[in-house]
Amino acid sequence: MEQQTQNGGWRGSPDIWLNAAYDALLETGVDGVKIQPLAKRLDLSRTSFYWFFKDRQELLDALIAQWRQKNTGNLIAQTESYAETVTEAMLNVFDCWLKPDLFDAPFEFAIRSWAVQSPNVLDEIQTADQQRLDALKQMFLRFGQNEKLADVRARTIYLVQIGYISMQTQEALADRLQRIPEYVEIFTGQPPEQRELDRFLARHS
């Protein structure tokens, strides 16, 4: 909820401060997520911040929670989405890599960069990595693949995508979409059906 001072001045809202922190994290790293610079960015007083957050650490915790909910939560949800075949399930996961509203790659890169200087954030990353790998593995197990193969395929998919993010790979959407059928076949062991591809491409056209 937005807040105003008694004399009518605007204090902002929790989301406004959190969005400013998100922008600062992506632009300059965690060292740029500080109260005074954020207040200046928002043209608000420093004291306005304390109506919504106890201190800077609470704001940083909110950033981590937002990343966890969006990137890990959505990826897991996509692995559990309805699919008739393992290839359709794989295409559901690919939605994450192509739709920023499902998986925010710049946010992922910023959090992983932050983890280099923060053991606590590194713990968060490692927990998220394991949860995501487990979800991908369970997806393959659901379609009858054996434990070892499900584990290796989950790791292959996930490490390739984290490599994309870590290398900050720039790839035209048309180029990536053209590679999707081969990626699916490599990751699942079978080519996607044309009707599955058509539905997938319709989502991303």
Side-chain angles (χ1 to χ4, degrees):
M1 181 179 295
E2 294 182 356
Q3 294 285 338
Q4 291 186 329
T5 61
Q6 291 179 348
N7 62 6
W10 187 49
R11 293 194 181 103
S13 69
D15 284 346
I16 284 170
W17 284 97
L18 185 58
N19 289 340
Y22 166 89
D23 290 340
L25 179 69
L26 267 60
E27 291 167 13
T28 61
V30 70
D31 290 339
V33 185
K34 294 180 179 176
I35 299 167
Q36 187 58 46
L38 293 179
K40 185 176 181 180
R41 175 191 288 258
L42 293 169
D43 196 23
L44 294 170
S45 69
R46 178 187 173 92
T47 56
S48 298
F49 172 85
Y50 295 100
W51 281 86
F52 308 108
F53 298 95
K54 180 178 67 176
D55 53 23
R56 178 176 181 258
Q57 186 57 52
E58 188 171 55
L59 178 64
L60 295 178
D61 290 344
L63 275 173
I64 291 291
Q66 179 176 296
W67 161 78
R68 186 190 305 122
Q69 179 179 2
K70 183 169 190 177
N71 285 9
T72 300
N74 284 340
L75 176 54
I76 291 172
Q78 287 300 107
T79 67
E80 296 171 348
S81 293
Y82 174 78
E84 295 180 359
T85 64
V86 69
T87 51
E88 185 177 23
M90 189 69 256
L91 289 168
N92 288 340
V93 171
F94 263 85
D95 287 343
C96 288
W97 317 143
L98 296 170
K99 298 179 71 174
D101 59 323
L102 285 179
F103 192 98
D104 188 334
F107 200 8
E108 185 77 13
F109 181 83
I111 295 291
R112 289 181 179 274
S113 298
W114 178 5
V116 172
Q117 63 191 80
S118 170
N120 290 338
V121 177
L122 179 59
D123 287 343
E124 291 279 356
I125 287 282
Q126 291 173 339
T127 297
D129 285 341
Q130 193 58 57
Q131 290 172 337
R132 297 169 188 181
L133 283 166
D134 288 345
L136 288 164
K137 179 179 176 180
Q138 287 302 316
M139 181 184 77
F140 283 111
L141 292 173
R142 194 167 83 240
F143 287 95
Q145 300 197 5
N146 68 58
E147 184 93 10
K148 183 176 181 181
L149 190 56
D151 177 70
V152 171
R153 283 189 165 142
R155 290 176 181 278
T156 303
I157 294 160
Y158 188 62
L159 294 176
V160 165
Q161 184 55 34
I162 294 303
Y164 261 89
I165 293 167
S166 298
M167 294 171 65
Q168 296 184 287
T169 302
Q170 300 298 315
E171 186 177 50
L173 177 60
D175 291 339
R176 195 160 204 195
L177 289 175
Q178 191 175 32
R179 295 184 178 113
I180 292 296
E182 284 70 30
Y183 274 132
V184 171
E185 185 168 4
I186 288 168
F187 291 154
T188 67
Q190 54 190 281
E193 296 181 20
Q194 188 59 49
R195 61 187 177 85
E196 295 170 343
L197 273 177
D198 290 343
R199 286 197 296 268
F200 175 81
L201 292 172
R203 296 198 295 268
H204 298 286
S205 61

